[in-house]
Amino acid sequence: MSGAEPWLTQPAEAAGMAALAASLRAAVERWSAVPLAERIEAVARAAAMLGDQGSMLRRAAVEGFAQRSGHSRGMIEESLDFFLGKLARDGLAAEAKRVGLEDAGIAAPRLTVHWLASNTPWAGMESVAAACLAGSASFVKAARGESDFAAAWAGALAAAHPALPGALAVRRWEGGSRLALEDALLAACDALVVFGDDRTIETLLARVRERAESGALRFVPHGHRVSVAGLGEGAWREAPERFAERVAYDHVLEDQEGCLSPRSVYLVGAEDGRARADAGRFAGAVADALRAYEQRWPRAPIAPEEAARVHQLRSVVELRGGWVAHPGSTAWTVALDPDPTFEPSPAARFVRLCRVASSGEMARLLEPARGRLAALAWSDSGDETGCLPGELAAVAPGYLPLAGRMQRPPLGWSHDGASDLEWLLEPLPHRSVPAIEETP
Amino acid sequence: MSDAIAQDLVERMRAGSFEPLPDAAFEALARRVFAAQFAACEPYRAYCGRRGVTPGTVRHWSEIPAVPVRAFQEGSLSSDDAPVVRVFETSGTTTGRRGRHALSERALALYRRSLEPSFRHFLLPELEPEPPGSRSGLLPIVLGPASAEAPGSSLYFMVDEVLAHLFATPARRAFGPGGLDGTAWRAALVEAESQGRPACLLGTALALHAALAWLEARGERFHLASGSRALQTGGMKASGMTLEPRELRARAAEWLGLEPAAVVGEYGMTEACSQFYESTWRDAWAGGDGCDLEAREAEEPRLLHGPPWARAVVCDPETLEPAPAGRTGVLRLVDLANRFTLSFLQTEDLAVAREGTQGLGSGPFVLAGRAAAAAARGCSLAAAEWGALRAEIGP
């Protein structure tokens, strides 16, 4: 990538940023006037372009992200292809129809700023896709040291339609390090989608509060979240190998760093004399699956601090009388923890399994995490259709996948209460999202 | 203290030597402590059993299983049948439960015995040649609560203990219900400065920061008499703010007239009776060149030194095997002063060790970070964020 591409502009000071924002706002007139079907076609074309294994954009982005994050290339490719696969024309058209994008009275922001955090490429790309679909211009503030996918995605979009290059910009800097430049940007946008921790969100909200409260700016915070899975006896006792594989897959993807990564798994079912042995069998099957994944997609190195947390929790589980399996390093862990109190396991392919007698008990244990859950997976019988027990409804977030699908949300998934597209529209459509995602 | 191991430890504490024990002597003592704790603490015995380790199978003290400090959140981990008389609690937790170091009468007595020699050695070295029971004439200024007001704080227990036994003058306490008591702080500094009397400041790094900020905000500079010094301890992070030790020392020099060597960092933890100290003040007192200290520190950070009855082993973060000197790893403490609770502790803190003269863990170390401060790498909630959330919700 060089500065020659209009979507990857060179750093600017406040005046330059204001001019860039004004140019994006002007250019979007042309893009938003493009008929919806043509916008859909362009996004789908960009996705196909980046899906091409021979694409230089793709290869550079995958390579760059793999080097910076340490994630396995194979895993990155699989996640990228899943994400791009969602952006096929028919799916986009269905989503546009679902949210009523062409309905009278629905308005989209002229300029959306996507404020990305590190190591969250897919969430940012989906947000940009939604903005394009809505007819909004996008400015992507990529995390420092990482704009591979943001730049690649913008590049693909820019190549997909002549009206798009002027309506896209990608920049990267350390958030909060260039306040005048940021203020110029924040003053010019109509929607601000923020991915980050509480502090980032609070700081940014404080800077745009007046406009957000007056309705002049749509503020869309995506704070740090955790996810949890629950398995009924039909899953962990009756089909342990199949569901162990799914649990492992959910933990392995994104090396458990995503907000949709499970950080505890509850095995629900009463004690009947065999349950203890069955739980051990299930835990062993999860360990086998993780071992195999480590061969296929080795986990990224983790910081010593995180490794210390892995060792702490392993040893604590042992002290509690639980069962722990690991390969002698921190590459993966399975801990059958006798204490079901909810706490996020370390984000290091650490599968923490806790037995509880009922879904009601699980709901009670998750109460402290209410409002912080991104996904609550539930699977029970072998028919895989799942049905969230009513007791869990009180703590359930909008996204309720099946085990094995936690990191694979469909287009239009409830991302903190609404889909990425819905978040941008005025008024917020508040359409319901299917309670349990269908397994493709 | 009717316990042979504790008696031996007390004898070593009384002896006053801070040379590391020869490895064989430490080995013998550590094995005795392990055997006693293995026999007395059922959860620890079971934990060791799962690892196939017993007092009979250990080949070297470094093989003795260390319990995670988080285990102290699980309940009482004691190697003493006697009733608990004092409980010290940690502040942060990710489970809503605080870590509890519960001490019996004799455990508390051993704690008292252990903390004085270290404090004297590193903060009041001028007392060491004096007869036992000698007290310092420094004016103590405490930037925190009395132990009675913070009964769960091991730090302020330690502070009150050294005040009671090592200082001749009652402390001036610059602390009130809302934190720093600025009026009392100024009064104490005026008293020390006007009398030309050296002072000894005691508190956390954050308390020292707040006290300096109070002076900075008012533009009030003091120049404490030569020989004044400050103990600062605890984490350097709070409320999104990170304190740089060098910066803190520079501010202490500017606003209090303390030379850099006189600001002594201490590392301790609620779950351990022993403390580790920077040796800068002692080195300067013993004839080292304190003036060049800042220049030296530009090259390397300060080292923390422990007492002979404790060792600090830096472990490989992946395997927990002892790491070579110079490599960053996870800190394991062996604190034999924890005779009546558990002595073999796997911390979450990161450190870099220096080669010791008496084998593994006998050298000093540099603290390199804390696991609780680990940042999220993706969009998932980090442990520290969850801990803060749990603190808001309560247990």
Side-chain angles (χ1 to χ4, degrees), chain A residues 257 263 311-312 318 330, chain B residues 50 74 317-318 346 377 380:
Chain A
E257 292 171 4
R263 303 287 285 275
H311 292 297
Q312 287 285 316
E318 282 185 69
T330 65
Chain B
R50 280 188 205 99
E74 301 291 303
E318 278 295 310
Q346 185 62 55
R377 295 207 304 161
S380 191

Side-chain angles (χ1 to χ4, degrees), chain A residues 69 71 117-120 196-199 223-227 255-261 263 299-309 311-322 328-331 339 341-344 347 367-369 372, chain B residues 43-44 46-47 50-51 66-74 77 94-95 97 239-241 316-320 328-330 342 345-350 368-386 389-390 392-393:
Chain A
S69 67
H71 293 320
S118 60
N119 284 6
T120 55
D197 58 17
D198 287 352
R199 190 172 165 76
H224 286 173
R225 298 279 187 272
V226 289
S227 291
D255 288 342
Q256 211 185 352
E257 292 171 4
C259 57
L260 298 178
S261 302
R263 303 287 285 275
R299 196 206 60 199
I302 57 173
E305 292 93 332
E306 197 68 18
R309 292 198 64 237
H311 292 297
Q312 287 285 316
L313 189 52
R314 283 177 180 174
S315 298
V316 164
V317 170
E318 282 185 69
L319 265 168
R320 289 171 180 161
S329 69
T330 65
D339 182 350
T341 304
F342 176 69
E343 66 169 302
E367 191 59 39
R372 285 289 187 162
Chain B
Y44 183 52
Y47 177 72
R50 280 188 205 99
R51 292 167 178 233
V67 292
V69 290
R70 270 200 50 185
F72 287 83
Q73 295 172 12
E74 301 291 303
L77 286 174
T94 55
T95 58
R97 294 178 292 223
S239 306
M241 172 183 64
D316 182 282
E318 278 295 310
T319 63
L320 287 189
T328 301
V330 189
L342 289 179
L345 306 174
Q346 185 62 55
T347 80
E348 294 185 278
D349 295 333
L350 304 183
R370 296 201 161 198
R377 295 207 304 161
C379 52
S380 191
L381 203 66
E385 293 174 289
W386 177 251
L389 191 67
R390 289 297 287 130
E392 282 174 27
I393 297 167

Side-chain angles (χ1 to χ4, degrees), chain B residues 108-394:
Chain B
L108 194 64
L110 191 56
Y111 182 22
R112 285 193 164 104
R113 297 278 194 169
S114 70
L115 60 88
E116 283 182 29
S118 295
F119 189 91
R120 189 167 49 228
H121 185 77
F122 292 105
L123 265 295
L124 304 172
E126 63 271 26
L127 287 186
E128 282 194 331
E130 302 296 322
S134 298
R135 289 164 183 262
S136 167
L138 295 173
L139 180 68
I141 302 174
V142 181
L143 301 170
S147 183
E149 293 160 12
S153 165
S154 56
L155 169 64
Y156 289 107
F157 176 83
M158 179 189 92
V159 168
D160 277 11
E161 282 295 310
V162 299
L163 288 172
H165 296 105
L166 297 177
F167 287 87
T169 311
R172 308 298 186 258
R173 203 172 287 276
F175 191 84
L180 180 77
D181 179 340
T183 307
W185 169 230
R186 179 196 282 126
L189 293 175
V190 167
E191 180 184 355
E193 191 180 56
S194 62
Q195 295 176 3
R197 184 177 174 187
C200 183
L201 276 54
L202 302 159
T204 63
L206 291 170
L208 181 58
H209 158 74
L212 290 167
W214 192 91
L215 298 177
E216 289 160 354
R218 287 158 184 78
E220 294 188 31
R221 276 191 174 75
F222 290 84
H223 199 279
L224 296 174
S226 174
S228 294
R229 65 209 72 167
L231 168 77
Q232 58 89 2
T233 184
M236 288 282 179
K237 287 190 175 182
S239 306
M241 172 183 64
T242 301
L243 299 175
E244 291 296 332
R246 281 169 58 85
E247 194 181 314
L248 200 63
R249 292 194 288 269
R251 290 165 64 204
E254 183 179 353
W255 296 91
L256 296 170
L258 292 177
E259 54 188 279
V263 181
V264 176
E266 181 249 23
Y267 168 77
M269 49 200 316
T270 303
E271 299 87 348
C273 289
S274 296
Q275 300 81 38
F276 294 76
Y277 289 87
E278 293 169 355
S279 64
T280 51
W281 179 255
R282 182 181 177 83
D283 294 346
W285 174 82
D289 189 352
C291 296
D292 285 346
L293 193 64
E294 286 298 278
R296 286 208 308 271
E297 286 176 351
E299 304 294 322
E300 54 190 49
R302 288 186 174 189
L303 297 168
L304 290 157
H305 303 256
W309 53 88
R311 291 212 175 176
V313 179
V314 174
C315 302
D316 182 282
E318 278 295 310
T319 63
L320 287 189
E321 293 297 318
R327 191 171 296 172
T328 301
V330 189
L331 188 63
R332 180 181 299 167
L333 294 183
V334 178
D335 182 6
L336 303 182
N338 273 21
R339 153 71 186 92
F340 295 110
T341 53
L342 289 179
S343 291
F344 305 87
L345 306 174
Q346 185 62 55
T347 80
E348 294 185 278
D349 295 333
L350 304 183
V352 183
R354 288 290 172 82
E355 203 76 63
T357 56
Q358 297 295 339
L360 187 68
S362 64
F365 65 91
V366 175
L367 202 58
R370 296 201 161 198
R377 295 207 304 161
C379 52
S380 191
L381 203 66
E385 293 174 289
W386 177 251
L389 191 67
R390 289 297 287 130
E392 282 174 27
I393 297 167

